[in-house]
Amino acid sequence: MNGLQLSFCSSKSEKEIMSHQQEDDEYVGDEYEMEDVDDNMEEEFHGRDVGSDSDVDEYDYMNNKLADTCAAQARKGKDIQGIPWERLSITRDKYRQTRLEQYKNYENIPQSGEASEKACKVTNKTGLYYDFRRNSRSVKSTILHFQLRNLVWATSKHDVYLMSHFSVIHWSSLTCNKSEVLNVSGHVAPCEKHPGSLLEGFTQTQVSTMAVKDNLLVAGGFQGELICKYLDRPGVCFCSRTTYDDNAITNALDIYTTPSGAVHFTASNNDCGVREFDMENFQMTKHLRFPWPVNHTSISPDGKLLIIVGDSPEGMLVDSSSGKTVASLHGHLDFSFASAWNPDGYGFATGNQDKTCRIWDIRHVSKSVTALKANLGAIRSIRYSSDGRFMAMAEPADFVHVFDVRGGCYDKEQEIDFFGEISGTSFSPDTDSLFIGVWDRTYGSLLEFGRRHNYSYLDSLI
């Protein structure tokens, strides 16, 4: 097909049985392309048959300045993703409606999405908290596992890290330049010696998840690999394998600072384990075991509690020291893949394949405070802004919802609407920027939004 190819996924494979031998640019799942889209796009793509990621990368490398969209262009009516709807045989509204009707949400428990609808509140979608700044199509964030979407991390309003095939890429939104931080396509071995570190390293690591905070980068792999790198040091500092089980995939990573000021991270794995590492001594300090594969873990601001969600409709709130259950979380109808704490330390959120995000209060955990509904599919990523003012919840594709958290009502939201699978979302630490990674064969990119200010002159800086 020439021209527009929005390649969307509805995967039918479990993460336990998916192939670990796929090529680096192969996306897990059954892709389908909308047949209503006009093929006559020679003018935009110069007659190219845009049929692979490499073709698109080459095209955008040569033309990325033309392909990008800035805030001024969007205000004049240009589509933020650069999709030329005026030259297509389908309108954007019609395409959106078709997507809503045809997108297949992946469920481990059949009909969980339909069954959860009656519990969801109706929200006011007139919120406008973050303005579109830029869509950068030269930045290609990719997804290796269809259920794991935490692959975009911002360390400042201008610095973003994301996975692109076998590389961790740094993108500067200030200079619009990208650079490779870590390449795992070949052999990676630590250049520092620490007890317990695998000095032989790893070869061709398939990165399933990653986390970046301040100057620490941790990447997790399909075979339990953990690769740690300090961004201000050359090379890799620490390599470890959490387990040699067949079912070893690293599902999520959470980097945090303990109350004593030490930098730690937790790794959530498919072998039902959660492991804590101290990055001062490069040692595993804790190994907690649970009854089912753990898909995501978040530690409370005071470091005392852990949210544990995974291959069970029931979540858990546990003591971070002992792993003992403090409370069970009942309400979701399918498996959960996302969690996050409100910086206030009382509220937290869980995201589920039943197409809901549930909000909880640790003072009343017998029932969730509210349930927020998705449009297309599972809630696979949740982020709170550092000031606790906003919460962003991302669906597998097309929609990121930004809620006003004040008052704890979650009744007003900004719905960010685009096309493509979502590789991750991240607020900058100062809350000024919100980044969204979009995976699509043709329109893959990095979307950047800026927190609204009542100062119109700031537009001149964008």
Side-chain angles (χ1 to χ4, degrees), residues 132-341:
F132 172 77
R133 277 185 182 162
R134 188 177 188 88
N135 182 52
S136 302
R137 281 173 60 183
S138 60
V139 194
K140 298 292 186 186
S141 64
T142 56
I143 301 165
L144 194 58
H145 191 292
F146 76 101
Q147 290 171 306
L148 308 178
R149 305 299 186 91
N150 295 299
L151 298 170
V152 175
W153 295 85
T155 57
S156 81
K157 69 173 70 177
H158 300 305
D159 297 288
V160 193
Y161 295 84
L162 51 90
M163 282 303 305
S164 183
H165 303 297
F166 275 107
S167 297
V168 177
I169 299 295
H170 167 252
W171 170 254
S172 169
S173 64
L174 186 63
T175 63
C176 292
N177 289 321
K178 63 180 178 180
S179 58
E180 185 179 72
V181 174
L182 177 66
N183 188 313
V184 296
S185 63
H187 183 239
V188 174
C191 60
E192 302 176 17
K193 292 185 178 180
H194 300 284
S197 184
L198 295 177
L199 299 182
E200 67 272 25
F202 306 113
T203 301
Q204 288 192 324
T205 306
Q206 291 180 298
V207 175
S208 51
T209 190
M210 64 179 277
V212 187
K213 182 178 173 62
D214 298 325
N215 66 343
L216 176 62
L217 159 68
V218 185
F222 271 77
Q223 298 178 34
E225 304 98 330
L226 291 173
I227 300 172
C228 302
K229 174 181 174 58
Y230 279 101
L231 300 173
D232 56 354
R233 303 183 199 172
V236 167
C237 60
F238 182 71
C239 288
S240 179
R241 193 183 295 276
T242 56
T243 176
Y244 286 88
D245 285 4
D246 291 337
N247 201 6
I249 187 170
T250 308
N251 292 321
L253 296 161
D254 184 26
I255 303 173
Y256 55 94
T257 303
T258 67
S260 66
V263 177
H264 285 211
F265 74 86
T266 56
S268 306
N269 283 75
N270 236 40
D271 69 345
C272 307
V274 173
R275 296 164 177 84
E276 180 182 308
F277 290 81
D278 176 357
M279 291 309 293
E280 183 176 345
N281 302 308
F282 296 92
Q283 290 293 303
M284 185 173 75
T285 58
K286 208 170 295 175
H287 181 190
L288 307 177
R289 294 174 175 85
F290 297 95
W292 23 257
V294 180
N295 296 327
H296 203 273
T297 304
S298 297
I299 193 163
S300 61
D302 63 6
K304 295 180 179 180
L305 295 171
L306 283 172
I307 308 166
I308 307 292
V309 297
D311 285 5
S312 168
E314 182 179 294
M316 303 169 72
L317 202 59
V318 306
D319 182 282
S320 63
S321 297
S322 65
K324 292 183 179 179
T325 302
V326 173
S328 295
L329 307 175
H330 300 282
H332 282 304
L333 304 179
D334 208 315
F335 297 174
S336 293
F337 283 82
S339 64
W341 282 92

Side-chain angles (χ1 to χ4, degrees), residues 358-416:
R358 286 187 176 264
I359 308 299
W360 309 81
D361 188 314
I362 60 170
R363 296 162 292 194
H364 312 284
V365 291
S366 59
K367 184 180 179 181
S368 62
V369 174
T370 191
L372 307 172
K373 183 178 180 295
N375 295 328
L376 283 179
I379 303 302
R380 298 213 177 275
S381 180
I382 302 171
R383 297 279 185 268
Y384 279 91
S385 59
S386 61
D387 61 359
R389 170 73 189 277
F390 302 110
M391 183 195 78
M393 70 176 202
E395 302 190 34
D398 293 21
F399 294 100
V400 172
H401 307 261
V402 182
F403 288 87
D404 187 342
V405 177
R406 288 179 301 180
C409 297
Y410 293 79
D411 53 4
K412 190 173 183 180
E413 65 163 295
Q414 174 183 357
E415 188 176 85
I416 300 176

